[in-house]
């Protein structure tokens, strides 16, 4: 076994890998299958982004899946056809072990038509996407394999495809999206040839499943440098594949959206809302039920989880964009503020204000941004003042419930009960002092007496 510890950077030499992982490597080695830690964990350790969780460590081995299975008591066949099994190491710690492999021709731009198992670690590294991901470390033998200059690219903070970028992207359309995602996570630039190879491969990327695209976009949005990743999607044409609705917006609106994403809290619904808040509202006024429904459909079509889509769409529609005209004025009077908070919902108020702040702080020119931030600050103060008295904002918070309404009016359950509660809430939003059983009952009787036979429930005044 070659021992070249001096070549191995300290970040790897000093790393304390989980005993379960080392034990799995030891047992494979003892059976004559020299095995390696590969992929993202090696990259991240070299970057001093600590990644020692066994779940993040991938083991690559020349042993075939059935040979691996024979060496351990507990093995789960996670993806045997691709050469991956999950070994339960000491203490039941799961460790993913994948046989060195190369890939046959890609037929659909996503999956290789066949997998060939290999015996050399360098051959396994040659099928990997970027040089910084094509590193293998053997902590027992103290050797780092870096056949494509990955360490040099780590130092230069550069993503470079392994081999011919055009060929690698034509094989697998997910790789350009991974490039943008890694750029966002690592803050790296793309090597020029790698970057140029993206556009000719857009048709291949268009074949990638919505689930995979959603997963990459989510990681990109939650990364440390999301605006850089988004700018890369934008400049390479990937945005037209991933989110055509945004790609057709004017460049200034797109740039603003990326800036708002960067400033928004690191939560998926908020970052999605920031991305989508520049989509046209189609004449839909403030609150924007239609705009919200459209945005939700878009996100569901992109396979975002329902709850994420729902919240992101609601926030994007409620916010609109501070740069878009016309925009409704911020609520001023206490009644307007109560209606606003009731419309947003108390539980969505904090994320909405966070989005608003990101939107306002990203606005240009700076004077505009300062004005928008001042407006927001004043609104926050008004909301705090109004909320100090905890006014009723939903019909559940009214001093009368549906049963009391039915009793007072002698009604059976039905549409009128809901109408009555909506009317009472409307009145209580105007004047929270009305929220006592007596005052609401009297208000209810007046409303009922004046209610025209079958007319639709009208807005007051
Ligand atoms: P992270 O776990 O942070 O997402 P990672 O680099 O570990 O980053 P994974 O998706 O876990 O990425 O993949 C593990 C490794 O497998 C990568 O480092 C890379 O070497 C290889 N790999 C993954 N996907 C591809 C692909 N589409 N084409 C080529 N190699 C890939
Ligand atoms: Mg990984």
């Amino acid at each position: 076994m070659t021992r070249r510890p001096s070549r191995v950077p300290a970040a790897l030499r000093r790393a304390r890998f989980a005993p379960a992982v080392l034990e799995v490597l030891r047992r494979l080695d003892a059976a004559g299958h020299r095995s390696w830690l590969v992929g993202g964990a090696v990259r991240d350790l070299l970057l001093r982004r600590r990644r020692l969780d066994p779940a993040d460590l991938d083991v690559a081995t020349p042993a075939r899946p059935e040979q691996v299975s024979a060496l351990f008591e507990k093995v789960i066949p996670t993806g045997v056809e691709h050469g991956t099994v999950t070994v339960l190491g000491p203490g039941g710690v799961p460790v993913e072990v994948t046989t060195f492999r190369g890939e046959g021709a890609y037929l659909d731009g996503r999956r290789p038509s066949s997998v060939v198992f290999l015996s050399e670690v360098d051959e396994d590294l040659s099928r990997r996407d970027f040089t910084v991901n094509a590193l293998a470390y053997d902590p027992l033998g103290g050797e780092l394999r870096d056949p494509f200059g990955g360490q040099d690219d780590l130092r230069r903070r550069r993503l470079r495809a392994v081999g011919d970028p055009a060929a690698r992207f034509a094989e697998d359309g997910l790789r350009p999206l991974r490039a943008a995602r890694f750029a966002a996570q690592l803050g790296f630039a793309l090597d020029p040839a790698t970057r140029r190879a993206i556009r000719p491969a857009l048709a291949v990327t268009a074949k990638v499943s919505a689930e995979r695209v959603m997963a990459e976009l989510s990681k990109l949005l939650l990364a440390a440098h999301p605006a850089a990743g988004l700018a890369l999607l934008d400049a390479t044409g990937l945005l037209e594949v991933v989110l055509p609705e945004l790609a057709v917006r004017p460049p200034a609106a797109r740039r603003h959206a990326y800036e708002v994403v960067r400033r928004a809290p690191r939560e998926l619904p908020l970052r999605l809302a920031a991305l989508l808040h520049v989509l046209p509202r189609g004449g839909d006024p403030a609150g924007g039920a239609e705009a919200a429904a459209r945005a939700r459909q878009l996100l569901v079509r992109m396979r975002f989880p329902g709850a994420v889509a729902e919240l992101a769409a609601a926030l994007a529609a409620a916010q609109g964009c501070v740069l878009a005209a016309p925009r409704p004025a911020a609520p001023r009077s206490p009644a307007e503020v109560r209606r606003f908070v009731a419309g947003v919902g108390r539980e969505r108020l904090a994320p909405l204000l966070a989005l608003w702040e990101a939107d306002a702080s990203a606005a240009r020119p700076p004077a505009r941004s300062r004005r928008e931030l001042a407006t927001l600050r004043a609104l926050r103060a008004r909301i705090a003042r109004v909320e100090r008295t905890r006014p009723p904002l939903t019909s559940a918070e009214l001093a009368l419930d549906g049963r009391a309404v039915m009793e007072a009016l002698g009604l059976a359950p039905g549409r009128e009960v809901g109408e009555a509660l909506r009317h009472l809430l409307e009145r209580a939003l105007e004047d929270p002092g009305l929220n006592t059983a007596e005052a609401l009952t009297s208000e209810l009787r007046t409303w009922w007496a004046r209610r025209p036979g079958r007319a639709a429930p009208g807005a007051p005044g």
Side-chain angles (χ1 to χ4, degrees), residues 38-41 43-44 51 55-58 178 181-182 219:
V38 288
R43 174 197 71 219
D44 287 351
R51 283 269 295 267
D56 276 335
L57 294 173
D58 297 313
R178 285 173 59 88
R181 186 256 286 192
F182 285 122
K219 287 181 184 175

Side-chain angles (χ1 to χ4, degrees), residues 38-41 43-44 49 51 56 58 103 106 110 127-130 132-134 168 172 174-175 178 181-182 185 212 216 219:
V38 288
R43 174 197 71 219
D44 287 351
R49 302 164 97 226
R51 283 269 295 267
D56 276 335
D58 297 313
E103 286 160 357
Y106 284 76
R110 191 37 230 146
R127 70 151 173 108
R128 293 177 182 270
D129 47 6
F130 303 104
V132 297
N133 289 345
R168 304 313 308 289
D172 180 356
L174 186 66
R175 288 174 186 153
R178 285 173 59 88
R181 186 256 286 192
F182 285 122
Q185 288 179 327
R212 306 297 294 250
E216 290 304 323
K219 287 181 184 175

Side-chain angles (χ1 to χ4, degrees), residues 209-269:
S209 77
E211 285 79 4
R212 306 297 294 250
V213 174
M214 184 275 290
E216 290 304 323
L217 184 59
S218 300
K219 287 181 184 175
L220 185 156
L221 289 173
L222 293 173
H225 312 276
L230 289 165
L232 197 55
L233 294 182
D234 194 308
T236 53
L238 283 168
L239 189 66
E240 277 149 63
V241 174
V242 171
L243 198 45
E245 291 82 354
L246 183 61
V248 297
R249 301 297 295 148
R254 302 200 307 264
R255 275 195 304 275
H256 172 71
Y258 307 155
E259 203 39 45
V260 178
V261 169
R262 183 173 80 75
R263 291 159 187 268
R266 220 158 156 169
E267 292 160 35
L268 189 55

